[in-house]
Amino acid sequence: MKCPKCHAEVEKGSLYCPKCLQEIHWVSEYNTVETLMQKASRSQMLIRKKERLEKKQKKKIRMLILLGILGVCVCILWCMDHSYLVQYSLARHAYKEKDHERALEYADKALTISPEKGKAAILLSQVLEEQGDLEGAVKVMEGGLQEHLDSPAYHERLISLYEKTDQPEKIKRLIRDPASQAVRESFAHYLCDDPDIRPQTGVYDDQIKVSIAEQEGVQYHYTLDGSTPTRESPLYQGPFPIGEGTTEVYVLGVNAYGLTSDVIYRKYTVIPKEPEAPKIWPVSGTYDGDTQITVKVPDGFKAYYAFDEIPTESSTEYKAPVKMPVGEHTFYAVLIGVNDRVSEVASRYYCLYE
């Protein structure tokens, strides 16, 4: 046995510690019935206490597991609520089921989460269109256009909305201005080519005819008074003449999609040459018998004649050979054409004897 104070070894039966003189109390080596009962009771108490502790530990573990599961569920729900893919999938499903309200809700969430992804915007615009809100559908697509300048699918959807809302000029700007060459090439067929007008701007010495090269599905409207043509301006139906003076021609093309070309301009100045004097037969001279006087009249002109005086438009119009009168006379003839162009006067001196 060891001393309870200094832990030195004490011989069995000693009443004091040989080292520190601490009194030693020896316990008898037998147990009474009462002692045994106390020990048994204490043992049962320890067992029950241990069981209670184990139950508390199990309950705590179960609680921790439940909290963990709850946390995982909350995390999953949060991720789902903030996942573009989940929200977009839910929106598509709702759209297929014709549940437009939920489709709008999910599509709007998806677009908020990832505004750079065009599919959500396209789906949102489709739902709005089916609800009859074309203006809202256009605004949704226009709002995300800058983030999808290289997306043919995005442009195709916006173009279809512009067609349905009758906004061809916006289609033209959309196709002409994208950052992507691929987009321009994909939708180039929508654009209306500029009119090919012949002849070119210039100064001409005779009346000309203006023509426009025709293209399938394209109508051309033009003006000659210097104003800008519109869809209500005269419709080109074939070459038209340009007479003397200065004429400004403006032409606008409109294709089958309702898109317009640029307005093309031509300026024509026609300064006609004075027509040559008419040719008269026979030549001046002395004649006898029945003699006819003829005048060559070019196309586009009329001839007027008189004897012994200069003819004017009020003189006799030449329509057939004229009988030469008896005596000495001077025959005069003049040509008057379009735009009142007047030739020089031609004359012949005739002496006819009976």
Side-chain angles (χ1 to χ4, degrees), residues 13 21 23 32 37 57 80 86 99 122 124-125 146 206 220 227 248 265 275-276 281 314 316 318-319 348:
L21 300 179
E23 185 178 3
T32 64
M37 290 179 64
Q57 288 178 343
M80 288 178 63
V86 171
D99 188 349
I122 292 174
L124 184 57
S125 73
Q146 291 303 312
D206 203 352
Y220 298 101
S227 62
E248 294 181 314
Y265 168 77
E276 296 179 356
W281 288 276
S314 60
T316 303
Y318 176 85
K319 295 183 178 179
R348 294 289 186 270

Side-chain angles (χ1 to χ4, degrees), residues 198-301:
R198 303 296 176 87
Q200 297 296 321
T201 293
V203 179
Y204 297 87
D205 59 11
D206 203 352
Q207 174 179 293
I208 60 174
K209 283 192 174 183
V210 175
S211 63
I212 305 171
E214 297 187 28
Q215 301 180 57
E216 185 176 357
V218 180
Q219 293 183 331
Y220 298 101
H221 300 268
Y222 68 95
T223 60
L224 302 177
D225 59 1
S227 62
T228 301
T230 66
R231 298 169 194 261
E232 286 71 43
S233 298
L235 181 66
Y236 174 79
Q237 296 179 324
F240 52 87
I242 299 294
E244 183 178 351
T246 298
T247 304
E248 294 181 314
V249 179
Y250 290 86
V251 181
L252 173 73
V254 182
N255 67 12
Y257 296 104
L259 271 67
T260 59
S261 68
D262 287 339
V263 174
I264 303 302
Y265 168 77
R266 293 285 187 271
K267 182 177 181 180
Y268 303 109
T269 301
V270 178
I271 305 176
K273 294 179 180 178
E274 291 296 328
E276 296 179 356
K279 299 185 182 303
I280 305 172
W281 288 276
V283 298
S284 298
T286 301
Y287 297 88
D288 57 10
D290 188 9
T291 306
Q292 302 288 322
I293 303 171
T294 61
V295 179
K296 183 178 181 181
V297 183
D299 291 340
F301 288 86

